[in-house]
Amino acid sequence: MITQATGLTRAKLRAPRVAAAAGILFSLLLLAVFWLMRRSVPADPLEPGAWLHGGTSNVALALNLVPFAGVAFLWFVGFLRDRLGEREDQFFATIFFGSAVLLLAMLFAAAAVIGAVILAFHAAPNVLINSATFHFGRGLAYGMVNIYLVKTASVFMMTTSTIALYTGLTPRWLAYGGYAVAAILLIGSYYIDWSLVVFPFWVLLVSINIWLKKDGGEVRP
């Protein structure tokens, strides 16, 4: 039996502002991570690693922000699934949740690789620069983020946009915008270094829309 106190607690947990804040926090943190990394790490994956001598404080700060961004993203994903409730389709739900988990796994793994490169540099600064070990770690992190994470993010956005179109979770223009952003990630990642930043911007728009939605973010029957 659900008591009145339990019902009130669940109502508070279902409040859209909680998840909207998580989505907004994730977007801002991920944008900060990208900005800090780009300030210190060159875009060219074949660079020799001279940036390590210039200081790694910005990179270290970015790596420490990644776990907080990941937790906020999980809260955001959990809220979206909660709003769908019984209307959640098993097929799309599997792809939606699976792509979200894969996205975070690759983000965390790439951050761990960069962190290992920094530790190895501090242990042997004269050995790591332009070595095979450095290029392996740099290439591994680059591939995770710019190939696999980007493609997984596009799958997440396409699935979320499809769910939004059929349930009214977001306005139609925002759902169609998700398809456009996913296309940019699928195609533009090969030509535009900063193409991945469109993903947190899209999450930010979705979160703000949920925050401002007067009906509390409920999906239509």
Side-chain angles (χ1 to χ4, degrees):
M1 173 180 278
I2 300 177
T3 64
Q4 183 177 3
T6 303
L8 290 174
T9 301
R10 177 166 176 76
K12 291 181 180 179
L13 289 175
R14 290 172 60 89
R17 290 181 178 270
V18 174
I24 293 171
L25 180 62
F26 163 75
S27 303
L28 296 178
L29 287 175
L30 194 59
L31 287 171
V33 169
F34 291 157
W35 180 71
L36 289 168
M37 292 294 291
R38 184 57 69 222
R39 286 192 62 185
S40 300
V41 183
D44 183 9
L46 298 178
E47 52 85 24
W51 57 272
L52 290 167
H53 284 297
T56 59
S57 58
N58 286 336
V59 179
L61 177 58
L63 297 181
N64 282 295
L65 292 178
V66 168
F68 296 99
V71 171
F73 185 69
L74 284 177
W75 274 78
F76 174 71
V77 171
F79 167 79
L80 294 181
R81 294 193 65 192
D82 184 66
R83 302 319 293 171
L84 293 173
E86 296 179 355
R87 300 179 180 89
E88 186 180 53
D89 179 80
Q90 291 184 352
F91 174 76
F92 285 106
T94 301
I95 301 175
F96 170 76
F97 184 69
S99 60
V101 173
L102 284 173
L103 188 154
L104 288 184
M106 285 183 285
L107 180 63
F108 285 1
V113 171
I114 295 298
V117 168
I118 293 176
L119 287 176
F121 169 75
H122 288 304
N126 296 324
V127 176
L128 185 67
I129 299 298
N130 206 24
S131 65
T133 301
F134 169 79
H135 287 296
F136 174 80
R138 180 77 165 85
L140 180 61
Y142 179 87
M144 283 182 179
V145 173
N146 291 278
I147 300 177
Y148 301 102
L149 190 150
V150 167
K151 303 303 181 287
T152 306
S154 66
V155 172
F156 175 82
M157 284 186 291
M158 286 189 291
T159 307
T160 305
S161 297
T162 302
I163 294 173
L165 282 176
Y166 283 98
T167 62
L169 185 64
T170 65
R172 298 182 70 85
W173 66 266
L174 191 53
Y176 286 123
Y179 288 123
V181 172
I184 292 175
L185 289 181
L186 283 172
I187 302 173
S189 61
Y190 292 104
Y191 308 102
I192 307 173
D193 291 333
W194 282 72
S195 60
L196 188 56
V197 300
V198 298
F199 173 64
F201 272 119
W202 179 78
V203 173
L204 182 63
L205 287 176
V206 172
S207 302
I208 292 175
N209 176 263
I210 294 174
W211 183 279
L212 298 177
K213 204 167 186 179
K214 293 182 180 180
D215 64 355
E218 294 289 352
V219 298
R220 63 170 179 255

